[in-house]
Amino acid sequence: MTRAVRHDHGKPYADEDLGEIDAALFTQGPSPDGRGVIVAGTCPRCHGPTRTLFPWARPGTGSKGVLSLLFARGDTPRAEGEPDPLLTEVHLCECGHAHPQCPPDTSYVGCGASWRIRR
Amino acid sequence: MSARSDRRWAELAREVEFTRLPELRRQAEGWRTGLTGLTALLAVLVLLKGRDDLAGLPAWARDSATGLLLAAFLLLTTGSLLAVRAAHGAPEREILLGGQALRRWTEQEVARVTRALAWASLCCVLGVVLVVGALVVAWVTTTSDPATHPVVVRTNSGVLCGELIVVDRQRVAIRTETDGRVTLPRATVLSVGPARAC
């Protein structure tokens, strides 16, 4: 399968908000190792294949689920009814290519674009 | 929410993945310190202080003071635990961690910590008020009870009960509720012993 537009590796890095993007361009599914959910698609700016893992994690401190923690076995308990990251998160280009002027310390290696997804 | 802010939340969410264990350890250390302090405080109060101060009170006053102290104890303990929870948090469920999820969680946690602090303050103030109430009950009832060390005096002619004033070679003097000060010749006194009450 070929993409309509090739990945523009030369596009300089820019912290640019692209607004809302059609959900048809992206997919969402559990990661193979069960660590979280992967949102994958094509970056609307540089057209590179972007793939972001949203891991299950405990953000720090809180008060919910103490009884579940006491009696849970095996894996750590996870919140139920969690909103899907595809529609609730702001997505950043993570095409993996360090575009020109890409900051060396960024966690999201890509062209710098960000967007939300709507259905 | 600006794009720069969104990016910063996303970066923070990614950092969390690498700080999970240190964060849990820091949380555990905070709880250990808080619970150790609380345990030490309770041990000092219960083991060293005891209930001697309440033993001399009338029954109703003793019950009232005990109830007040018990309620104060529960409130102060709850307040301390809430303060520890506000300062160090508590383990919770995992969430699908993204920038926006972290932002929502932070807003909720700020509200939870604020509430916990408010309740902790209220519990501690009420606890102190109840302790003061128990002290007032003890003081008031203690001053209204004049016979602090009653004795029973057996004589040739009968038995008297009252507060011991003096004993010497010639006499035994006591103060009774009915007759006031009574002085008995030493020769007529068969025995003098403590009494719980007259």
Side-chain angles (χ1 to χ4, degrees), chain B residues 53-123:
Chain B
D53 290 342
L54 300 178
L57 300 181
W60 69 268
R62 189 169 55 242
D63 292 345
S64 303
T66 304
L68 288 171
L69 285 178
L70 203 62
F73 168 81
L74 290 175
L75 280 171
L76 290 172
T77 305
T78 306
S80 300
L81 289 175
L82 283 171
V84 173
R85 185 261 171 268
H88 301 290
E92 69 165 12
R93 292 168 185 269
E94 291 187 327
I95 62 172
L96 264 183
L97 196 58
Q100 299 306 302
L102 181 62
R103 182 178 62 79
R104 283 192 298 274
W105 177 87
T106 303
E107 289 168 357
Q108 291 165 1
E109 181 65 2
V110 165
R112 285 196 289 262
V113 169
T114 306
R115 272 200 304 274
L117 270 181
W119 279 107
S121 307
L122 185 65
C123 286

Coordinates of all heavy atoms in Angstrom, one line a residue, chain B residues 53-123:
Chain B
D53 N -6.1 10.8 85.6 CA -6.7 12.1 85.8 C -8.2 12.0 85.9 O -8.8 12.9 86.4 CB -6.3 13.0 84.7 CG -4.8 13.4 84.8 OD1 -4.2 13.2 85.9 OD2 -4.3 13.9 83.8
L54 N -8.8 11.0 85.3 CA -10.3 10.9 85.3 C -10.8 10.0 86.5 O -12.0 10.0 86.8 CB -10.7 10.2 84.0 CG -10.4 11.0 82.7 CD1 -10.9 10.2 81.5 CD2 -11.0 12.4 82.7
A55 N -9.9 9.3 87.2 CA -10.3 8.3 88.2 C -11.0 9.0 89.3 O -11.9 8.4 89.9 CB -9.1 7.5 88.7
G56 N -10.7 10.2 89.7 CA -11.3 10.9 90.9 C -12.5 11.6 90.6 O -13.1 12.2 91.5
L57 N -13.0 11.6 89.3 CA -14.2 12.4 89.0 C -15.5 11.6 89.3 O -15.5 10.4 89.4 CB -14.2 12.7 87.5 CG -13.1 13.5 87.0 CD1 -13.2 13.8 85.5 CD2 -12.9 14.8 87.7
P58 N -16.6 12.3 89.5 CA -17.9 11.6 89.7 C -18.2 10.8 88.4 O -17.7 11.2 87.3 CB -18.9 12.8 89.9 CG -18.1 13.9 90.2 CD -16.7 13.7 89.7
A59 N -19.1 9.9 88.5 CA -19.3 8.9 87.4 C -19.8 9.7 86.1 O -19.3 9.4 85.0 CB -20.4 7.9 87.8
W60 N -20.7 10.6 86.3 CA -21.3 11.3 85.0 C -20.2 12.1 84.4 O -20.1 12.2 83.2 CB -22.5 12.2 85.4 CG -22.1 13.4 86.2 CD1 -22.1 13.5 87.6 CD2 -21.7 14.7 85.8 NE1 -21.8 14.7 88.0 CE2 -21.5 15.5 86.9 CE3 -21.5 15.2 84.5 CZ2 -21.1 16.8 86.8 CZ3 -21.1 16.5 84.4 CH2 -20.9 17.3 85.5
A61 N -19.4 12.8 85.2 CA -18.3 13.6 84.7 C -17.2 12.8 84.0 O -16.7 13.1 83.0 CB -17.7 14.5 85.8
R62 N -16.9 11.6 84.7 CA -15.9 10.7 84.1 C -16.4 10.2 82.7 O -15.7 10.2 81.8 CB -15.7 9.5 85.0 CG -14.5 8.7 84.6 CD -14.1 7.7 85.7 NE -15.2 6.8 86.1 CZ -15.7 6.8 87.3 NH1 -15.2 7.6 88.3 NH2 -16.7 6.0 87.6
D63 N -17.7 9.8 82.6 CA -18.3 9.4 81.4 C -18.2 10.5 80.3 O -17.9 10.2 79.1 CB -19.7 8.9 81.6 CG -19.7 7.6 82.4 OD1 -18.7 7.0 82.6 OD2 -20.8 7.3 82.9
S64 N -18.6 11.7 80.7 CA -18.6 12.8 79.8 C -17.2 13.1 79.3 O -17.0 13.2 78.1 CB -19.2 14.1 80.4 OG -20.5 13.8 80.9
A65 N -16.3 13.2 80.2 CA -14.9 13.5 79.8 C -14.3 12.4 79.0 O -13.6 12.6 78.0 CB -14.0 13.7 81.1
T66 N -14.6 11.1 79.3 CA -14.1 10.0 78.5 C -14.7 10.1 77.1 O -13.9 9.9 76.1 CB -14.5 8.7 79.2 OG1 -14.0 8.6 80.5 CG2 -13.9 7.5 78.4
G67 N -16.0 10.4 77.0 CA -16.6 10.5 75.6 C -16.0 11.6 74.8 O -15.7 11.4 73.6
L68 N -15.8 12.7 75.5 CA -15.1 13.9 74.8 C -13.7 13.5 74.3 O -13.3 13.8 73.2 CB -15.1 15.1 75.7 CG -16.5 15.8 76.0 CD1 -16.3 16.8 77.0 CD2 -17.0 16.4 74.7
L69 N -13.0 12.9 75.2 CA -11.6 12.5 74.9 C -11.6 11.5 73.7 O -10.7 11.6 72.8 CB -10.8 12.0 76.1 CG -10.4 13.0 77.1 CD1 -9.8 12.4 78.3 CD2 -9.5 14.1 76.5
L70 N -12.5 10.5 73.8 CA -12.6 9.5 72.7 C -12.9 10.2 71.4 O -12.2 9.8 70.3 CB -13.6 8.5 73.1 CG -13.5 7.1 72.4 CD1 -12.2 6.5 72.9 CD2 -14.6 6.2 72.8
A71 N -13.9 11.1 71.4 CA -14.2 11.7 70.1 C -13.1 12.6 69.6 O -12.8 12.6 68.4 CB -15.5 12.6 70.4
A72 N -12.4 13.3 70.6 CA -11.2 14.1 70.2 C -10.1 13.2 69.6 O -9.5 13.6 68.6 CB -10.7 14.8 71.4
F73 N -9.9 12.1 70.2 CA -8.9 11.1 69.7 C -9.2 10.7 68.3 O -8.3 10.7 67.4 CB -8.9 9.9 70.7 CG -8.2 8.7 70.2 CD1 -6.8 8.7 70.3 CD2 -8.8 7.7 69.6 CE1 -6.1 7.6 69.9 CE2 -8.2 6.6 69.2 CZ -6.8 6.5 69.3
L74 N -10.5 10.4 68.0 CA -10.9 9.9 66.7 C -10.7 11.1 65.7 O -10.2 10.9 64.6 CB -12.3 9.4 66.7 CG -12.6 8.1 67.4 CD1 -14.0 7.8 67.4 CD2 -11.8 7.0 66.7
L75 N -11.1 12.3 66.1 CA -11.0 13.4 65.2 C -9.6 13.8 64.9 O -9.2 14.0 63.7 CB -11.7 14.6 65.8 CG -13.3 14.6 65.7 CD1 -13.9 15.8 66.5 CD2 -13.7 14.8 64.2
L76 N -8.7 13.8 65.9 CA -7.3 14.1 65.7 C -6.6 13.1 64.8 O -5.8 13.4 64.0 CB -6.6 14.2 67.1 CG -7.0 15.5 67.9 CD1 -6.4 15.4 69.3 CD2 -6.6 16.8 67.2
T77 N -7.0 11.8 65.1 CA -6.4 10.7 64.2 C -6.8 10.9 62.8 O -6.0 10.8 61.9 CB -6.8 9.3 64.8 OG1 -6.5 9.2 66.1 CG2 -6.1 8.2 64.0
T78 N -8.1 11.1 62.6 CA -8.6 11.3 61.2 C -8.0 12.5 60.6 O -7.6 12.5 59.4 CB -10.2 11.5 61.3 OG1 -10.7 10.4 61.9 CG2 -10.7 11.6 59.9
G79 N -7.9 13.6 61.3 CA -7.2 14.8 60.8 C -5.8 14.5 60.4 O -5.3 15.0 59.3
S80 N -5.1 13.8 61.2 CA -3.7 13.5 60.9 C -3.6 12.7 59.6 O -2.7 12.9 58.8 CB -3.0 12.8 62.1 OG -3.1 13.6 63.2
L81 N -4.4 11.6 59.5 CA -4.4 10.8 58.3 C -4.8 11.6 57.1 O -4.2 11.4 56.0 CB -5.4 9.6 58.5 CG -4.9 8.6 59.5 CD1 -6.0 7.5 59.7 CD2 -3.6 7.9 59.1
L82 N -5.7 12.5 57.2 CA -6.1 13.3 56.1 C -5.0 14.2 55.7 O -4.7 14.5 54.5 CB -7.4 14.1 56.4 CG -8.7 13.4 56.4 CD1 -9.8 14.2 56.9 CD2 -9.0 12.9 54.9
A83 N -4.3 14.8 56.7 CA -3.1 15.6 56.3 C -2.0 14.9 55.7 O -1.4 15.3 54.7 CB -2.6 16.3 57.6
V84 N -1.8 13.6 56.1 CA -0.8 12.8 55.5 C -1.2 12.5 54.0 O -0.4 12.5 53.1 CB -0.5 11.5 56.3 CG1 0.4 10.6 55.5 CG2 0.1 11.8 57.6
R85 N -2.5 12.2 53.9 CA -3.0 11.9 52.5 C -2.8 13.1 51.6 O -2.4 13.0 50.4 CB -4.4 11.5 52.6 CG -5.0 11.0 51.3 CD -5.8 12.1 50.6 NE -6.2 11.8 49.3 CZ -5.5 12.1 48.2 NH1 -4.3 12.7 48.3 NH2 -5.9 11.9 47.0
A86 N -3.1 14.3 52.2 CA -3.0 15.5 51.3 C -1.5 15.7 51.0 O -1.2 16.2 49.9 CB -3.5 16.7 52.1
A87 N -0.6 15.5 51.9 CA 0.8 15.7 51.7 C 1.4 14.7 50.7 O 2.3 15.0 49.9 CB 1.5 15.8 53.0
H88 N 1.1 13.5 50.9 CA 1.8 12.4 50.2 C 0.9 11.6 49.3 O 1.4 10.7 48.6 CB 2.5 11.5 51.2 CG 3.4 12.2 52.1 ND1 4.6 12.7 51.7 CD2 3.3 12.6 53.4 CE1 5.2 13.3 52.7 NE2 4.4 13.2 53.7
G89 N -0.4 11.8 49.3 CA -1.3 11.1 48.4 C -1.5 9.6 48.8 O -1.1 9.3 49.9
A90 N -2.2 8.9 47.9 CA -2.4 7.5 48.2 C -2.4 6.7 46.9 O -2.7 7.3 45.9 CB -3.7 7.3 48.9
P91 N -1.9 5.5 46.9 CA -1.9 4.7 45.6 C -3.3 4.7 45.0 O -4.3 4.5 45.7 CB -1.4 3.3 46.1 CG -0.8 3.5 47.4 CD -1.5 4.7 48.0
E92 N -3.3 4.7 43.7 CA -4.6 4.6 43.0 C -4.5 3.8 41.8 O -3.4 3.3 41.4 CB -5.2 6.0 42.7 CG -4.4 6.7 41.7 CD -5.1 7.9 41.1 OE1 -6.1 8.3 41.7 OE2 -4.7 8.5 40.1
R93 N -5.6 3.7 41.1 CA -5.7 2.9 39.8 C -4.8 3.5 38.8 O -4.6 4.7 38.8 CB -7.1 2.8 39.3 CG -8.0 2.0 40.2 CD -9.4 2.2 39.8 NE -10.3 1.5 40.7 CZ -10.8 0.3 40.5 NH1 -10.4 -0.4 39.5 NH2 -11.6 -0.2 41.4
E94 N -4.4 2.7 37.8 CA -3.7 3.2 36.7 C -4.7 3.8 35.7 O -5.8 3.3 35.6 CB -2.9 2.1 36.0 CG -1.7 1.6 36.9 CD -0.8 0.6 36.2 OE1 -1.4 -0.2 35.3 OE2 0.4 0.6 36.4
I95 N -4.2 4.8 34.9 CA -5.0 5.4 33.9 C -4.2 5.3 32.6 O -3.0 5.1 32.6 CB -5.4 6.8 34.2 CG1 -4.2 7.7 34.3 CG2 -6.2 6.9 35.5 CD1 -4.5 9.2 34.4
L96 N -4.9 5.4 31.5 CA -4.2 5.5 30.2 C -3.6 6.9 30.1 O -4.3 7.9 30.0 CB -5.2 5.4 29.0 CG -5.4 4.0 28.4 CD1 -6.3 4.0 27.3 CD2 -4.0 3.4 28.0
L97 N -2.3 7.0 30.2 CA -1.6 8.2 30.5 C -1.3 9.0 29.2 O -0.4 8.6 28.5 CB -0.4 8.0 31.3 CG 0.2 9.2 32.0 CD1 -0.8 9.8 32.9 CD2 1.4 8.8 32.8
G98 N -2.0 10.1 29.0 CA -1.6 11.0 27.9 C -1.6 12.4 28.6 O -1.9 12.6 29.7
G99 N -1.2 13.4 27.8 CA -1.1 14.7 28.3 C -2.4 15.2 28.9 O -2.5 15.8 30.0
Q100 N -3.5 15.0 28.1 CA -4.8 15.5 28.6 C -5.4 14.7 29.8 O -6.0 15.3 30.7 CB -5.8 15.5 27.4 CG -5.4 16.4 26.2 CD -5.2 17.8 26.6 OE1 -6.0 18.5 27.2 NE2 -3.9 18.3 26.4
A101 N -5.1 13.4 29.8 CA -5.5 12.6 30.9 C -4.8 13.1 32.2 O -5.3 13.2 33.2 CB -5.2 11.1 30.6
L102 N -3.5 13.4 32.0 CA -2.7 13.9 33.2 C -3.2 15.2 33.6 O -3.3 15.5 34.8 CB -1.2 14.0 32.8 CG -0.3 14.4 33.9 CD1 -0.3 13.5 35.0 CD2 1.2 14.6 33.3
R103 N -3.6 16.1 32.7 CA -4.1 17.4 33.0 C -5.4 17.2 33.8 O -5.6 17.9 34.9 CB -4.4 18.2 31.8 CG -4.9 19.6 32.1 CD -5.0 20.4 30.8 NE -6.0 19.8 29.9 CZ -7.3 20.0 30.0 NH1 -7.8 20.7 31.0 NH2 -8.1 19.4 29.2
R104 N -6.3 16.3 33.3 CA -7.6 16.1 34.0 C -7.4 15.5 35.4 O -8.0 16.0 36.4 CB -8.5 15.2 33.2 CG -9.2 15.8 32.0 CD -10.2 14.8 31.5 NE -9.7 13.6 31.0 CZ -9.2 13.4 29.8 NH1 -9.2 14.4 28.9 NH2 -8.7 12.2 29.5
W105 N -6.4 14.6 35.5 CA -6.1 13.9 36.8 C -5.6 15.0 37.7 O -5.9 15.0 38.9 CB -5.1 12.8 36.6 CG -4.7 12.2 37.9 CD1 -5.4 11.2 38.5 CD2 -3.6 12.6 38.7 NE1 -4.7 10.9 39.7 CE2 -3.7 11.7 39.8 CE3 -2.6 13.5 38.6 CZ2 -2.7 11.8 40.9 CZ3 -1.7 13.7 39.6 CH2 -1.8 12.8 40.7
T106 N -4.7 15.9 37.3 CA -4.1 16.9 38.1 C -5.2 17.8 38.7 O -5.2 18.2 39.9 CB -3.1 17.7 37.3 OG1 -2.1 16.8 36.8 CG2 -2.4 18.8 38.2
E107 N -6.1 18.2 37.8 CA -7.2 19.1 38.3 C -8.0 18.4 39.4 O -8.4 19.0 40.4 CB -8.1 19.5 37.1 CG -7.5 20.4 36.1 CD -8.2 20.6 34.8 OE1 -9.3 19.9 34.7 OE2 -7.8 21.4 34.0
Q108 N -8.3 17.1 39.2 CA -9.1 16.4 40.2 C -8.3 16.2 41.5 O -8.8 16.3 42.6 CB -9.5 15.0 39.6 CG -10.5 15.1 38.5 CD -10.6 13.8 37.7 OE1 -9.9 12.8 38.1 NE2 -11.5 13.7 36.7
E109 N -7.0 16.0 41.3 CA -6.2 15.8 42.5 C -6.0 17.1 43.3 O -6.0 17.0 44.5 CB -4.8 15.2 42.1 CG -3.8 15.0 43.2 CD -4.3 13.8 44.1 OE1 -5.3 13.2 43.9 OE2 -3.6 13.6 45.1
V110 N -6.0 18.2 42.6 CA -5.9 19.5 43.3 C -7.2 19.6 44.1 O -7.1 20.0 45.3 CB -5.8 20.6 42.3 CG1 -6.1 22.0 42.9 CG2 -4.4 20.6 41.7
A111 N -8.3 19.3 43.6 CA -9.6 19.4 44.3 C -9.6 18.4 45.5 O -10.0 18.8 46.6 CB -10.8 19.1 43.4
R112 N -9.1 17.2 45.3 CA -9.1 16.2 46.4 C -8.2 16.7 47.5 O -8.5 16.5 48.7 CB -8.6 14.8 45.8 CG -9.6 14.1 45.0 CD -9.3 12.6 44.9 NE -8.2 12.4 44.0 CZ -8.3 12.1 42.7 NH1 -9.4 12.0 42.1 NH2 -7.2 11.9 42.0
V113 N -7.0 17.2 47.2 CA -6.0 17.6 48.2 C -6.6 18.8 49.0 O -6.5 18.9 50.2 CB -4.7 18.0 47.6 CG1 -3.8 18.7 48.6 CG2 -4.0 16.7 47.1
T114 N -7.2 19.7 48.2 CA -7.8 20.9 48.9 C -8.9 20.4 49.9 O -9.0 20.9 51.0 CB -8.5 21.8 47.8 OG1 -7.5 22.1 46.9 CG2 -9.0 23.1 48.5
R115 N -9.8 19.5 49.5 CA -10.8 19.0 50.4 C -10.2 18.3 51.6 O -10.6 18.5 52.7 CB -11.7 18.0 49.6 CG -12.9 18.6 48.9 CD -14.0 17.6 48.6 NE -13.5 16.5 47.9 CZ -13.4 16.4 46.5 NH1 -13.7 17.5 45.8 NH2 -12.9 15.4 45.9
A116 N -9.2 17.5 51.3 CA -8.5 16.7 52.4 C -7.9 17.7 53.4 O -8.1 17.5 54.6 CB -7.5 15.8 51.9
L117 N -7.3 18.7 52.9 CA -6.7 19.7 53.8 C -7.8 20.4 54.7 O -7.6 20.7 55.9 CB -5.9 20.8 53.0 CG -4.4 20.4 52.8 CD1 -3.8 21.5 52.0 CD2 -3.7 20.2 54.1
A118 N -8.9 20.8 54.0 CA -10.0 21.5 54.7 C -10.5 20.6 55.8 O -10.7 21.0 57.0 CB -11.1 21.9 53.7
W119 N -10.8 19.3 55.5 CA -11.3 18.4 56.5 C -10.3 18.1 57.6 O -10.7 18.0 58.8 CB -11.7 17.0 55.8 CG -13.0 17.1 55.1 CD1 -13.3 17.1 53.8 CD2 -14.3 17.1 55.8 NE1 -14.6 17.2 53.6 CE2 -15.3 17.2 54.8 CE3 -14.7 17.1 57.1 CZ2 -16.7 17.2 55.1 CZ3 -16.1 17.2 57.4 CH2 -17.0 17.2 56.4
A120 N -9.0 18.0 57.2 CA -8.0 17.8 58.2 C -8.0 19.0 59.2 O -7.9 18.8 60.4 CB -6.6 17.7 57.6
S121 N -8.0 20.2 58.7 CA -8.0 21.4 59.6 C -9.3 21.3 60.5 O -9.1 21.6 61.7 CB -8.1 22.7 58.7 OG -7.0 22.6 57.8
L122 N -10.4 21.0 59.9 CA -11.7 21.0 60.7 C -11.6 19.9 61.8 O -11.9 20.2 63.0 CB -12.8 20.7 59.8 CG -14.2 20.7 60.4 CD1 -14.5 22.1 60.9 CD2 -15.3 20.3 59.5
C123 N -11.1 18.7 61.4 CA -11.0 17.6 62.4 C -10.0 18.0 63.6 O -10.3 17.8 64.7 CB -10.5 16.4 61.7 SG -11.7 15.6 60.7

